[in-house]
Amino acid sequence: MPRFIKRFATALASASVLALAAAGPAHAQEIRIGALYPLSGGLALLGEESFRGTEIAIAERNAAGGINGQKITLVKADAVDANQAVGEARRLTSVENVVAVFGSYASGVSSAATQVTELAGVPYFELGAVADTITGRGFKYVFRSNSTAKTFASRSVESIVQVVAPSLKADPKSLKIAIVYEDGPY
């Protein structure tokens, strides 16, 4: 089983246990989990691939008996920007009554959606967005399984010093680098 799927399955089990504990003694026939990704627009390809990973993890978990014998049902939501993220997070938490939300790949989408899920008391598991602020706001119900932008930056500098410079037989201080970035939460 790929490492991503194992990490996701662990996060899924944790989310479901948290959500079931919060739901009380009444047990539904299924556990509804939201999947919030940019499924259209400029990030659609990456959003669709991320969603497919979520589908695979859910299918594997269901094949292994679900959670406490209950089948997990995935509720799909498309959010290409912060406004759609807010609307879809509201729909997932209040209309679809999901017990947790997984998403979203995009930092702007995640930053907006997690504000809604936090207020609703619904756990949100970020699987790909890197903006430090997503988990840096002190929210109680927001979790992340991936690295942050700050971690990526420090590891990039570390690799220039420890890998790139030695392979070029150069002093790291003599290297010139360029930083290319986008002007957004990513």
Side-chain angles (χ1 to χ4, degrees):
M1 179 185 304
R3 188 170 47 163
F4 165 78
I5 300 298
K6 285 183 183 178
R7 284 192 337 211
F8 180 79
T10 301
L12 176 63
S14 300
S16 299
V17 169
L18 286 171
L20 287 173
H27 294 287
Q29 295 299 315
E30 66 180 4
I31 298 170
R32 296 173 62 79
I33 303 285
L36 179 66
Y37 295 100
L39 302 170
S40 58
L43 295 175
L45 177 62
L46 297 168
E48 282 287 343
E49 288 302 307
S50 297
F51 177 76
R52 284 182 23 179
T54 305
E55 281 185 310
I56 291 167
I58 297 286
E60 286 188 8
R61 188 73 218 162
N62 280 334
I67 296 175
N68 295 331
Q70 294 176 306
K71 179 184 175 194
I72 303 162
T73 301
L74 197 57
V75 181
K76 194 174 189 178
D78 179 19
V80 299
D81 60 25
N83 289 332
Q84 278 188 313
V86 167
E88 286 292 81
R90 284 183 180 147
R91 179 180 67 82
L92 289 171
T93 58
S94 63
V95 176
E96 299 291 347
N97 297 313
V98 300
V99 298
V101 176
F102 285 84
S104 67
Y105 177 80
S107 294
V109 168
S110 182
S111 293
T114 53
Q115 292 179 42
V116 174
T117 58
E118 181 70 16
L119 288 172
V122 173
Y124 189 102
F125 290 82
E126 182 50 59
L127 305 173
V130 299
D132 294 290
T133 55
I134 294 167
T135 49
R137 296 173 287 182
F139 286 180
K140 181 178 176 182
Y141 298 102
V142 178
F143 307 92
R144 181 197 318 257
S145 65
N146 59 292
S147 295
T148 64
K150 183 178 180 179
T151 303
F152 278 122
S154 61
R155 294 301 175 260
S156 295
V157 170
E158 211 173 88
S159 69
I160 290 169
V161 172
Q162 296 176 6
V163 178
V164 175
S167 70
L168 296 172
K169 296 178 178 40
D171 179 350
K173 293 176 184 175
S174 71
L175 298 177
K176 293 184 182 192
I177 62 169
I179 299 173
V180 179
Y181 66 98
E182 59 106 24
D183 189 18
Y186 172 70

